[in-house]
């Protein structure tokens, strides 16, 4: 056969042509001479702005910052631009943090201004708790402007983060400052909310020793705070500690208010405090006994007041539900002869159904 193909006989004596094996084409090797070897890829870095790069260079070289660089540092901490946080973290990752902390806290008024800014507050908090040496700069700055920091929402978040992450020695000293400033804070229109948050933070962190010291201060001053002190801000703090349902604290508040519940019941926020005391059995008995000791004229005057009538209704209901029938009837019988004077009041409607 001309083409040399192999023929093999079949069972029938015929032959068929066997197909030639398929030979794969030669592989096309890709030359490797021009392919660079694999190498380690560094993490992505943010391209710093010219001003931030200059700031970083100054911080790393330990050179004193120029006024322009101080402004750059302020802008770095407070910038709300889209990549502001990324620029901040890039500078932090490449800085001498001790030098950076010193630069941030050397001008206390500027530090306070940064802390009052939402972005500034968040970024300062990111720097806390890294090392004790670093924390010392921020700790001293916070205590130096303590009143101003604790009466501003954003700035106070810096201080509270410090209370979470600082060393025990620093936490103890900060707690001492809080105790010393507790009553002015409680009466401040912003500070009262910060004081409530401090109580919550210390509870959540298990710092009950510090928290109980603060509760004792509030309890000892409950009468002063219980009245509408500076638009009732102090009163809110008293209500807050009573909502904790801490029996020791509630008892201490009641002791401070003993003999004053009648007068407090005439005021809007004072009546709230008295009603909170009525939620605890022992303190409720104290409040009702004080009311029963009042003469009928004073008691009717309280029952006809806008807020006192709510206190009396709750006092009657609590005594009834707790099966203190003696005190329930002592109070009810003092008011029943004057029910005709109490039309339109909740306590009048309550007494009417006792007839």
């Amino acid at each position: 056969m001309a083409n040399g193909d192999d023929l093999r006989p079949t069972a029938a004596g015929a032959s068929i042509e066997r197909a030639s094996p398929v030979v794969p084409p030669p592989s096309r090797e890709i030359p490797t001479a021009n392919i660079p070897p694999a190498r380690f890829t560094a993490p992505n870095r943010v391209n710093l702005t010219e001003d931030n790069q200059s700031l970083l260079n100054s911080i790393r070289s330990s050179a004193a910052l120029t006024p322009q660089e101080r402004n750059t540092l302020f802008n770095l901490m407070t910038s709300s631009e889209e990549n502001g946080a990324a620029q901040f973290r890039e500078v932090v990752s490449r800085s001498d943090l001790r030098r950076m902390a010193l630069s941030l806290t050397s001008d206390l008024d500027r530090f306070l201004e940064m802390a009052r800014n939402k972005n500034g507050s968040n970024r300062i908090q990111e720097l806390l708790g890294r090392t004790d040496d670093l924390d010392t700069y921020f700790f001293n700055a916070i205590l130096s402007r303590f009143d101003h920091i604790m009466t501003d929402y954003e700035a106070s978040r810096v201080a509270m983060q410090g209370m979470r992450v600082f060393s025990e020695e620093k936490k103890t000293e900060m707690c001492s400052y809080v105790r010393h400033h507790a009553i002015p804070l409680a009466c401040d229109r912003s500070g009262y909310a910060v004081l409530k948050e401090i109580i919550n933070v210390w509870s959540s962190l298990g710092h009950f020793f510090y928290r109980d010291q603060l509760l004792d201060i509030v309890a000892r001053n409950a009468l002063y705070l219980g009245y509408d002190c500076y638009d009732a801000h102090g009163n809110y703090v008293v209500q807050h500690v009573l909502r904790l349902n801490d029996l020791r604290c509630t008892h201490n508040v009641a002791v401070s208010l003993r003999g004053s519940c009648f007068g407090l019941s005439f005021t809007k926020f004072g009546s709230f405090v008295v009603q909170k005391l009525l939620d605890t059995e022992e303190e409720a008995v104290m409040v009702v006994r004080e009311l029963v000791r009042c003469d009928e004229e004073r008691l009717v005057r309280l029952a006809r007041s806008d807020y006192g009538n709510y206190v009396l209704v709750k006092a009657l209901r609590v005594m009834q539900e707790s099966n203190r029938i003696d005190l329930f009837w002592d109070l009810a019988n003092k008011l029943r002869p004057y029910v005709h004077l109490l039309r339109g009041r909740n306590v009048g409607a309550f007494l009417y159904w006792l007839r």
Side-chain angles (χ1 to χ4, degrees):
M1 282 168 283
N3 59 3
D5 286 343
D6 183 27
L7 291 179
R8 291 189 178 181
T10 65
S15 63
I16 61 174
E17 183 177 354
R18 189 178 69 176
S20 300
V22 177
V23 180
S27 61
R28 298 177 60 189
E29 294 185 359
I30 301 175
T32 59
N34 296 327
I35 298 179
R39 61 184 179 181
F40 173 75
T41 302
N44 292 332
R45 280 191 168 180
V46 175
N47 292 323
L48 294 176
T49 64
E50 183 178 344
D51 286 343
N52 287 341
Q53 184 62 57
S54 174
L55 170 66
L56 175 62
N57 294 339
S58 293
I59 293 175
R60 295 172 70 177
S61 67
S62 299
L65 298 187
T66 65
Q68 181 180 349
E69 287 170 339
R70 289 186 178 279
N71 287 334
T72 300
L73 179 60
F74 180 86
N75 293 333
L76 177 71
M77 298 297 293
T78 60
S79 171
S80 57
E81 294 179 2
E82 184 177 351
N83 68 338
Q87 291 277 316
F88 162 74
R89 293 189 179 104
E90 182 67 17
V91 170
V92 168
S93 70
R94 297 162 59 186
S95 279
D96 177 341
L97 292 183
R98 181 181 169 279
R99 284 280 305 161
M100 186 173 184
L102 176 62
S103 300
L104 286 169
T105 57
S106 58
D107 185 336
L108 293 175
D109 291 333
R110 198 72 159 166
F111 174 78
L112 177 60
E113 192 177 353
M114 278 186 279
R116 284 173 166 168
N117 176 275
K118 182 177 180 179
N119 293 321
S121 174
N122 289 336
R123 290 167 194 171
I124 292 172
Q125 289 177 67
E126 287 190 37
L127 296 173
L128 305 183
R130 292 174 180 252
T131 68
D132 190 58
D133 288 343
L134 198 64
D135 287 342
T136 298
Y137 292 104
F138 296 107
F139 169 77
N140 290 332
I142 291 168
L143 295 192
S144 297
R145 291 292 184 270
F146 193 80
D147 285 346
H148 300 287
I149 285 176
M150 300 307 284
T151 52
D152 180 88
Y153 172 73
E154 294 295 348
S156 69
R157 292 171 57 233
V158 173
M160 282 189 281
Q161 179 64 7
M163 292 178 196
R164 293 184 182 96
V165 302
F166 285 166
S167 66
E168 287 301 319
E169 182 182 358
K170 289 181 172 63
K171 287 179 185 177
T172 299
E173 190 163 352
M174 289 189 74
C175 291
S176 176
Y177 268 68
V178 171
R179 292 196 305 270
H180 181 72
H181 294 84
I183 302 307
L185 280 176
C187 294
D188 184 85
R189 65 179 183 177
S190 298
Y192 85 94
V194 174
L195 192 63
K196 288 165 57 179
E197 185 61 22
I198 290 173
I199 293 171
N200 293 341
V201 168
W202 287 352
S203 296
S204 65
L205 294 176
H207 297 329
F208 297 111
F209 176 74
Y210 299 141
R211 187 204 69 168
D212 289 348
Q213 288 184 323
L214 190 52
L215 295 185
D216 287 346
I217 292 173
V218 173
R220 286 198 302 269
N221 293 273
L223 181 59
Y224 172 68
L225 298 173
Y227 281 97
D228 293 353
C229 165
Y230 299 92
D231 297 327
H233 296 129
N235 186 289
Y236 293 141
V237 176
V238 178
Q239 291 183 54
H240 181 70
V241 301
L242 290 175
R243 289 192 193 100
L244 297 175
N245 297 319
D246 181 288
L247 295 179
R248 176 176 170 275
C249 177
T250 300
H251 175 73
N252 290 341
V253 170
V255 169
S256 293
L257 298 182
R258 184 175 292 156
S260 302
C261 292
F262 175 81
L264 277 172
S265 297
F266 280 96
T267 67
K268 179 179 179 179
F269 297 103
S271 70
F272 293 163
V273 171
V274 177
Q275 290 184 66
K276 288 299 297 179
L277 290 177
L278 287 168
D279 289 333
T280 307
E281 182 177 355
E282 183 178 344
E283 280 58 58
V285 169
M286 182 205 77
V287 172
V288 174
R289 283 178 175 164
E290 179 181 333
L291 296 175
V292 169
R293 286 195 297 269
C294 296
D295 58 51
E296 286 84 350
E297 181 183 354
R298 295 176 70 206
L299 209 53
V300 169
R301 186 158 54 87
L302 180 63
R304 297 184 67 184
S305 69
D306 290 338
Y307 308 112
N309 84 97
Y310 291 105
V311 172
L312 288 169
V313 168
K314 183 162 185 176
L316 288 166
R317 284 179 176 160
V318 168
M319 292 300 98
Q320 190 177 46
E321 292 168 1
S322 62
N323 206 29
R324 292 303 303 261
I325 302 303
D326 54 336
L327 287 174
F328 171 80
W329 285 112
D330 285 347
L331 184 58
N333 286 334
K334 278 202 162 188
L335 291 167
R336 287 175 70 190
Y338 308 98
V339 69
H340 61 286
L341 299 175
L342 304 177
R343 292 190 182 94
R345 294 296 181 186
N346 290 350
V347 66
F350 185 91
L351 293 169
Y352 178 82
W353 291 105
L354 294 179
R355 299 176 67 178

